[in-house]
Amino acid sequence: MAKIIFIEHNGTQRDVEVGPGGTVMQAALDNLVPGIVGDCGGACSCATCHTYVDPAWLARLPPMSEEERMLLEGSLSVEENSRLCCQLQITPALDGLVLRTPASQF
Ligand code: FES
């Protein structure tokens, strides 16, 4: 199990306990986390699963693929700590991951 901590734009925190095997985006949808849309179902083609990774976690995540990088480059409100959470596979190593959701995905 891994606990993923989502912090909404308004500061509301939601802790989600998930087993390994899925993606952080799917865990957010399954647990009705506001601010994550996931329009493309995780195909890395919509960027509506955009999140901001807590700086303490940036170096602990797997590197971004070129596909993810290119999609983020064309997205709104992107910061240095932006990641598409459909590209983050849940493993025990992500236990305690803190992600902030943007004000809007559109
Ligand atoms: Fe579409 Fe992540 S769900 S890019």
Side-chain angles (χ1 to χ4, degrees), residues 25 29 36-50 71 84-87:
M25 179 276 287
L29 295 185
I36 303 293
V37 179
D39 259 349
C40 75
C44 200
S45 62
C46 72
T48 63
C49 62
H50 178 204
L71 187 55
L84 299 176
C85 67
C86 73
Q87 300 302 297

PDB file of all heavy atoms in Angstrom, residues 25 29 36-50 71 84-87, ligand 1:
ATOM      1  N   MET A  25      -3.118   8.819 -11.267  1.00  0.00           N
ATOM      2  CA  MET A  25      -4.330   9.421 -11.842  1.00  0.00           C
ATOM      3  C   MET A  25      -5.545   8.548 -11.564  1.00  0.00           C
ATOM      4  O   MET A  25      -6.598   9.045 -11.138  1.00  0.00           O
ATOM      5  CB  MET A  25      -4.134   9.620 -13.358  1.00  0.00           C
ATOM      6  CG  MET A  25      -5.326  10.214 -14.090  1.00  0.00           C
ATOM      7  SD  MET A  25      -6.592   9.003 -14.563  1.00  0.00           S
ATOM      8  CE  MET A  25      -5.783   8.166 -15.912  1.00  0.00           C
ATOM      9  N   LEU A  29      -8.996   9.371  -9.439  1.00  0.00           N
ATOM     10  CA  LEU A  29     -10.369   9.244  -9.956  1.00  0.00           C
ATOM     11  C   LEU A  29     -11.174   8.272  -9.097  1.00  0.00           C
ATOM     12  O   LEU A  29     -12.336   8.540  -8.762  1.00  0.00           O
ATOM     13  CB  LEU A  29     -10.358   8.771 -11.408  1.00  0.00           C
ATOM     14  CG  LEU A  29      -9.756   9.715 -12.442  1.00  0.00           C
ATOM     15  CD1 LEU A  29      -9.935   9.135 -13.839  1.00  0.00           C
ATOM     16  CD2 LEU A  29     -10.362  11.102 -12.361  1.00  0.00           C
ATOM     17  N   ILE A  36      -8.600  16.454 -10.626  1.00  0.00           N
ATOM     18  CA  ILE A  36      -7.978  15.515 -11.561  1.00  0.00           C
ATOM     19  C   ILE A  36      -9.074  15.012 -12.485  1.00  0.00           C
ATOM     20  O   ILE A  36     -10.073  14.461 -12.021  1.00  0.00           O
ATOM     21  CB  ILE A  36      -7.334  14.312 -10.831  1.00  0.00           C
ATOM     22  CG1 ILE A  36      -6.295  14.772  -9.817  1.00  0.00           C
ATOM     23  CG2 ILE A  36      -6.721  13.335 -11.833  1.00  0.00           C
ATOM     24  CD1 ILE A  36      -5.068  15.415 -10.410  1.00  0.00           C
ATOM     25  N   VAL A  37      -8.889  15.213 -13.791  1.00  0.00           N
ATOM     26  CA  VAL A  37      -9.929  14.854 -14.757  1.00  0.00           C
ATOM     27  C   VAL A  37      -9.580  13.550 -15.482  1.00  0.00           C
ATOM     28  O   VAL A  37     -10.390  12.636 -15.557  1.00  0.00           O
ATOM     29  CB  VAL A  37     -10.156  16.009 -15.756  1.00  0.00           C
ATOM     30  CG1 VAL A  37     -11.210  15.631 -16.785  1.00  0.00           C
ATOM     31  CG2 VAL A  37     -10.558  17.285 -15.001  1.00  0.00           C
ATOM     32  N   GLY A  38      -8.406  13.479 -16.052  1.00  0.00           N
ATOM     33  CA  GLY A  38      -7.978  12.250 -16.720  1.00  0.00           C
ATOM     34  C   GLY A  38      -8.781  11.932 -17.966  1.00  0.00           C
ATOM     35  O   GLY A  38      -9.139  10.779 -18.204  1.00  0.00           O
ATOM     36  N   ASP A  39      -9.013  12.946 -18.788  1.00  0.00           N
ATOM     37  CA  ASP A  39      -9.859  12.791 -19.982  1.00  0.00           C
ATOM     38  C   ASP A  39      -9.422  11.667 -20.923  1.00  0.00           C
ATOM     39  O   ASP A  39     -10.263  10.990 -21.504  1.00  0.00           O
ATOM     40  CB  ASP A  39      -9.870  14.095 -20.789  1.00  0.00           C
ATOM     41  CG  ASP A  39     -11.134  14.900 -20.547  1.00  0.00           C
ATOM     42  OD1 ASP A  39     -12.075  14.355 -19.933  1.00  0.00           O
ATOM     43  OD2 ASP A  39     -11.164  16.066 -20.965  1.00  0.00           O
ATOM     44  N   CYS A  40      -8.127  11.463 -21.098  1.00  0.00           N
ATOM     45  CA  CYS A  40      -7.667  10.481 -22.093  1.00  0.00           C
ATOM     46  C   CYS A  40      -7.481   9.099 -21.493  1.00  0.00           C
ATOM     47  O   CYS A  40      -7.041   8.176 -22.174  1.00  0.00           O
ATOM     48  CB  CYS A  40      -6.386  10.962 -22.765  1.00  0.00           C
ATOM     49  SG  CYS A  40      -4.917  10.821 -21.736  1.00  0.00           S
ATOM     50  N   GLY A  41      -7.804   8.958 -20.225  1.00  0.00           N
ATOM     51  CA  GLY A  41      -7.709   7.647 -19.599  1.00  0.00           C
ATOM     52  C   GLY A  41      -6.284   7.201 -19.316  1.00  0.00           C
ATOM     53  O   GLY A  41      -6.044   6.015 -19.097  1.00  0.00           O
ATOM     54  N   GLY A  42      -5.359   8.116 -19.363  1.00  0.00           N
ATOM     55  CA  GLY A  42      -3.971   7.771 -19.046  1.00  0.00           C
ATOM     56  C   GLY A  42      -3.102   7.548 -20.262  1.00  0.00           C
ATOM     57  O   GLY A  42      -1.997   7.025 -20.140  1.00  0.00           O
ATOM     58  N   ALA A  43      -3.575   7.971 -21.433  1.00  0.00           N
ATOM     59  CA  ALA A  43      -2.817   7.751 -22.669  1.00  0.00           C
ATOM     60  C   ALA A  43      -1.787   8.844 -22.944  1.00  0.00           C
ATOM     61  O   ALA A  43      -1.194   8.872 -24.020  1.00  0.00           O
ATOM     62  CB  ALA A  43      -3.778   7.641 -23.845  1.00  0.00           C
ATOM     63  N   CYS A  44      -1.590   9.733 -22.002  1.00  0.00           N
ATOM     64  CA  CYS A  44      -0.626  10.830 -22.141  1.00  0.00           C
ATOM     65  C   CYS A  44      -0.935  11.698 -23.355  1.00  0.00           C
ATOM     66  O   CYS A  44      -0.064  12.009 -24.167  1.00  0.00           O
ATOM     67  CB  CYS A  44       0.807  10.294 -22.201  1.00  0.00           C
ATOM     68  SG  CYS A  44       2.050  11.551 -21.784  1.00  0.00           S
ATOM     69  N   SER A  45      -2.217  12.068 -23.475  1.00  0.00           N
ATOM     70  CA  SER A  45      -2.588  12.909 -24.621  1.00  0.00           C
ATOM     71  C   SER A  45      -3.526  14.056 -24.264  1.00  0.00           C
ATOM     72  O   SER A  45      -3.986  14.761 -25.164  1.00  0.00           O
ATOM     73  CB  SER A  45      -3.224  12.045 -25.720  1.00  0.00           C
ATOM     74  OG  SER A  45      -4.402  11.437 -25.249  1.00  0.00           O
ATOM     75  N   CYS A  46      -3.827  14.266 -22.962  1.00  0.00           N
ATOM     76  CA  CYS A  46      -4.782  15.346 -22.640  1.00  0.00           C
ATOM     77  C   CYS A  46      -4.242  16.348 -21.624  1.00  0.00           C
ATOM     78  O   CYS A  46      -4.671  17.495 -21.616  1.00  0.00           O
ATOM     79  CB  CYS A  46      -6.092  14.753 -22.123  1.00  0.00           C
ATOM     80  SG  CYS A  46      -5.994  14.043 -20.455  1.00  0.00           S
ATOM     81  N   ALA A  47      -3.383  15.931 -20.739  1.00  0.00           N
ATOM     82  CA  ALA A  47      -2.797  16.775 -19.680  1.00  0.00           C
ATOM     83  C   ALA A  47      -3.817  17.222 -18.631  1.00  0.00           C
ATOM     84  O   ALA A  47      -3.550  18.160 -17.888  1.00  0.00           O
ATOM     85  CB  ALA A  47      -2.068  17.977 -20.264  1.00  0.00           C
ATOM     86  N   THR A  48      -4.968  16.576 -18.563  1.00  0.00           N
ATOM     87  CA  THR A  48      -5.938  16.952 -17.527  1.00  0.00           C
ATOM     88  C   THR A  48      -5.712  16.179 -16.223  1.00  0.00           C
ATOM     89  O   THR A  48      -6.581  16.145 -15.361  1.00  0.00           O
ATOM     90  CB  THR A  48      -7.390  16.746 -18.009  1.00  0.00           C
ATOM     91  OG1 THR A  48      -7.596  15.361 -18.272  1.00  0.00           O
ATOM     92  CG2 THR A  48      -7.690  17.591 -19.223  1.00  0.00           C
ATOM     93  N   CYS A  49      -4.542  15.623 -16.095  1.00  0.00           N
ATOM     94  CA  CYS A  49      -4.121  14.986 -14.839  1.00  0.00           C
ATOM     95  C   CYS A  49      -2.895  15.704 -14.282  1.00  0.00           C
ATOM     96  O   CYS A  49      -2.137  15.145 -13.518  1.00  0.00           O
ATOM     97  CB  CYS A  49      -3.813  13.512 -15.067  1.00  0.00           C
ATOM     98  SG  CYS A  49      -2.442  13.273 -16.219  1.00  0.00           S
ATOM     99  N   HIS A  50      -2.766  16.967 -14.692  1.00  0.00           N
ATOM    100  CA  HIS A  50      -1.627  17.787 -14.283  1.00  0.00           C
ATOM    101  C   HIS A  50      -1.604  17.981 -12.761  1.00  0.00           C
ATOM    102  O   HIS A  50      -2.626  18.285 -12.157  1.00  0.00           O
ATOM    103  CB  HIS A  50      -1.752  19.147 -14.999  1.00  0.00           C
ATOM    104  CG  HIS A  50      -0.696  20.134 -14.659  1.00  0.00           C
ATOM    105  ND1 HIS A  50      -0.891  21.483 -14.803  1.00  0.00           N
ATOM    106  CD2 HIS A  50       0.562  19.982 -14.175  1.00  0.00           C
ATOM    107  CE1 HIS A  50       0.211  22.119 -14.438  1.00  0.00           C
ATOM    108  NE2 HIS A  50       1.102  21.233 -14.054  1.00  0.00           N
ATOM    109  N   LEU A  71       3.978  17.079 -23.900  1.00  0.00           N
ATOM    110  CA  LEU A  71       2.582  17.412 -23.600  1.00  0.00           C
ATOM    111  C   LEU A  71       2.509  18.520 -22.550  1.00  0.00           C
ATOM    112  O   LEU A  71       1.716  19.461 -22.673  1.00  0.00           O
ATOM    113  CB  LEU A  71       1.839  16.157 -23.127  1.00  0.00           C
ATOM    114  CG  LEU A  71       0.337  16.292 -22.923  1.00  0.00           C
ATOM    115  CD1 LEU A  71      -0.360  16.823 -24.174  1.00  0.00           C
ATOM    116  CD2 LEU A  71      -0.247  14.945 -22.511  1.00  0.00           C
ATOM    117  N   LEU A  84       2.455  14.827 -15.009  1.00  0.00           N
ATOM    118  CA  LEU A  84       1.155  14.250 -15.349  1.00  0.00           C
ATOM    119  C   LEU A  84       1.019  12.983 -14.517  1.00  0.00           C
ATOM    120  O   LEU A  84       1.801  12.040 -14.677  1.00  0.00           O
ATOM    121  CB  LEU A  84       1.086  13.938 -16.839  1.00  0.00           C
ATOM    122  CG  LEU A  84       1.243  15.148 -17.749  1.00  0.00           C
ATOM    123  CD1 LEU A  84       1.252  14.716 -19.212  1.00  0.00           C
ATOM    124  CD2 LEU A  84       0.139  16.172 -17.504  1.00  0.00           C
ATOM    125  N   CYS A  85       0.027  12.969 -13.621  1.00  0.00           N
ATOM    126  CA  CYS A  85       0.005  11.865 -12.659  1.00  0.00           C
ATOM    127  C   CYS A  85      -0.459  10.548 -13.274  1.00  0.00           C
ATOM    128  O   CYS A  85      -0.335   9.506 -12.629  1.00  0.00           O
ATOM    129  CB  CYS A  85      -0.771  12.234 -11.401  1.00  0.00           C
ATOM    130  SG  CYS A  85      -2.532  12.481 -11.589  1.00  0.00           S
ATOM    131  N   CYS A  86      -0.928  10.560 -14.534  1.00  0.00           N
ATOM    132  CA  CYS A  86      -1.219   9.273 -15.179  1.00  0.00           C
ATOM    133  C   CYS A  86       0.067   8.559 -15.570  1.00  0.00           C
ATOM    134  O   CYS A  86       0.047   7.373 -15.915  1.00  0.00           O
ATOM    135  CB  CYS A  86      -2.109   9.451 -16.405  1.00  0.00           C
ATOM    136  SG  CYS A  86      -1.292  10.175 -17.845  1.00  0.00           S
ATOM    137  N   GLN A  87       1.164   9.274 -15.518  1.00  0.00           N
ATOM    138  CA  GLN A  87       2.452   8.677 -15.883  1.00  0.00           C
ATOM    139  C   GLN A  87       3.218   8.180 -14.666  1.00  0.00           C
ATOM    140  O   GLN A  87       4.355   7.731 -14.785  1.00  0.00           O
ATOM    141  CB  GLN A  87       3.285   9.689 -16.669  1.00  0.00           C
ATOM    142  CG  GLN A  87       2.603  10.140 -17.964  1.00  0.00           C
ATOM    143  CD  GLN A  87       2.288   8.986 -18.886  1.00  0.00           C
ATOM    144  OE1 GLN A  87       3.191   8.302 -19.366  1.00  0.00           O
ATOM    145  NE2 GLN A  87       1.005   8.730 -19.131  1.00  0.00           N
TER     146      GLN A  87
HETATM  147 FE1  FES B   1      -4.556  12.315 -20.087  1.00  0.00          FE
HETATM  148 FE2  FES B   1      -2.845  11.990 -18.063  1.00  0.00          FE
HETATM  149  S1  FES B   1      -4.910  11.390 -18.167  1.00  0.00           S
HETATM  150  S2  FES B   1      -2.468  12.887 -19.985  1.00  0.00           S
END
